[in-house]
Amino acid sequence: MNQKCIIFLVFLSLHLANGQLNYYYYYYSSCPNLQMIVKYGVWDAMKNDSRVPASILRLHFHDCFVNGYDGSVLLDDTATFKGEKNAGPNRNSISGYEVIDNIKADVEQACPWTVSCVDILTLAAQEAVVLSGGPNWMVPLGRRDGLTANLKSANTDLPSPLDPLATITAKFAAVGLNLRDVVALSGAHTIGLAQCFTFKYRLFNFKGTGQHDPNLDTSLATSLKTACPNVDKSNTNLNSLDMVTTYTFDNAYYKNLVNNAGLLESDQALMSDPQAASIVNDYSMYQYLFYNDFATSMTKLGNIGVITGLNGEVRKKCGVINHY
């Protein structure tokens, strides 16, 4: 080994010991094939369910906003422990846990007791975007899994599609994210589905007017009334967040907003704020700009309140902390 390599590895070892995230955390010795294992796991799950990328992204978002990014959303309830899976914003709403569990099992075979569940979730979110046609970016690694969850925070701190824009931006600001991050990360709604109850109120007698939401395109409103009739049993029906390219990660979401075709009121509300609307218009015209900002915001999101160094743990199974 030449002197430059020795110096680099000594520097890297000191960097990791100090608990800092690093792009090469597992690469040189502990789990060099990690990225390929995660990529294959996401790809294999997508073969059977085209909704997997959106599900993984949602898991990623919902973890970052609660307790910091520590894998808390992955924890199951036990007799003495309440996790976040049954919080209002998560129950019957987010999925993809089994995808992360399966990838974790494969990683454990290759590199036992080495890679945290939260790092696997981070890489899976990136691969979900890439495999859907979106941008690629380098993911800093070295997070440790948390030892607890926060059901109360999951019920109160997660942005909701029913929140007004001011509330959403305040929740983002509380974790260090700005308005550009709000607009860029909202672009994840270029893939995936939403249940009718999250937007059906926009279709019938909106705010007592007897009409649909005036900020919703009339032809789209008519189509949605067929998909989501005004009866309770339609509440869990699913509809594409982006009906143009439902499973392709692109900038069609922003083009929809410009044309008053945002499915969720919280999405369309981005056009009500001059600064947010300006960003939306830019993204609708320049996909590369959206891709660049999305990657930047995803990196910021993945750095919120992380646990590193000797704190936390590397869970053997993602649904339970090791001493149970």
Side-chain angles (χ1 to χ4, degrees), residues 270-309:
L270 293 175
M271 296 302 292
S272 67
D273 177 273
Q275 185 179 353
S278 176
I279 300 171
V280 169
N281 277 297
D282 287 344
Y283 290 167
S284 73
M285 293 185 290
Y286 306 109
Q287 182 168 272
Y288 74 88
L289 181 60
F290 162 49
Y291 279 5
N292 181 72
D293 285 359
F294 183 83
T296 298
S297 294
M298 283 288 283
T299 300
K300 290 172 66 175
L301 192 67
N303 288 344
I304 295 171
V306 297
I307 302 171
T308 59

Side-chain angles (χ1 to χ4, degrees), residues 7 33 66 69 76 94 143 172 177-178 183 196 223 249 259 261 296-297 301 307 313 316:
I7 292 172
N33 295 319
V66 180
Y69 196 31
D76 295 321
I94 59 175
R143 300 166 188 80
F172 272 69
L177 300 174
N178 58 35
V183 181
C196 284
S223 173
F249 198 97
N259 293 315
T296 298
S297 294
L301 192 67
I307 302 171
E313 66 179 11
K316 186 69 173 177

Side-chain angles (χ1 to χ4, degrees), residues 70-229:
D70 61 353
S72 59
V73 75
L74 303 173
L75 290 171
D76 295 321
D77 291 348
T78 70
T80 59
F81 178 87
K82 290 294 184 183
E84 297 164 14
K85 291 183 177 180
N86 286 311
N90 294 336
R91 186 176 59 252
N92 300 321
S93 176
I94 59 175
S95 58
Y97 298 108
E98 71 288 346
V99 178
I100 304 303
D101 288 341
N102 291 339
I103 295 173
K104 174 63 171 174
D106 291 340
V107 171
E108 283 297 310
Q109 284 193 338
C111 322
W113 294 104
T114 300
V115 183
S116 65
C117 293
V118 66
D119 270 352
I120 289 173
L121 178 56
T122 310
L123 286 170
Q126 177 224 27
E127 293 295 347
V129 171
V130 173
L131 291 171
S132 300
N136 198 358
W137 65 94
M138 293 186 69
V139 177
L141 300 168
R143 300 166 188 80
R144 304 265 288 178
D145 295 318
L147 302 176
T148 187
N150 193 328
L151 180 64
K152 179 180 178 181
S153 178
N155 276 318
T156 59
D157 296 346
L158 286 167
S160 165
L162 304 179
D163 283 339
L165 181 59
T167 300
I168 292 173
T169 55
K171 288 180 177 180
F172 272 69
V175 294
L177 300 174
N178 58 35
L179 181 61
R180 182 168 288 273
D181 296 314
V182 172
V183 181
L185 292 172
S186 295
H189 286 170
T190 189
I191 56 175
L193 308 173
Q195 297 184 65
C196 284
F197 81 88
T198 60
F199 61 87
K200 191 169 66 173
Y201 67 93
R202 302 183 69 197
L203 308 178
F204 307 96
N205 195 27
F206 182 70
K207 296 183 178 179
T209 63
Q211 305 293 325
H212 65 76
D213 183 347
N215 292 315
L216 181 63
D217 176 76
T218 298
S219 61
L220 176 59
T222 301
S223 173
L224 290 173
K225 287 177 182 178
T226 301
C228 300

Side-chain angles (χ1 to χ4, degrees), residues 249-272:
F249 198 97
D250 55 21
N251 67 337
Y253 163 84
Y254 298 103
K255 295 178 181 179
N256 292 341
L257 298 187
V258 170
N259 293 315
N260 284 344
L263 186 69
L264 304 179
E265 186 180 14
S266 56
D267 286 334
Q268 193 60 51
L270 293 175
M271 296 302 292
S272 67

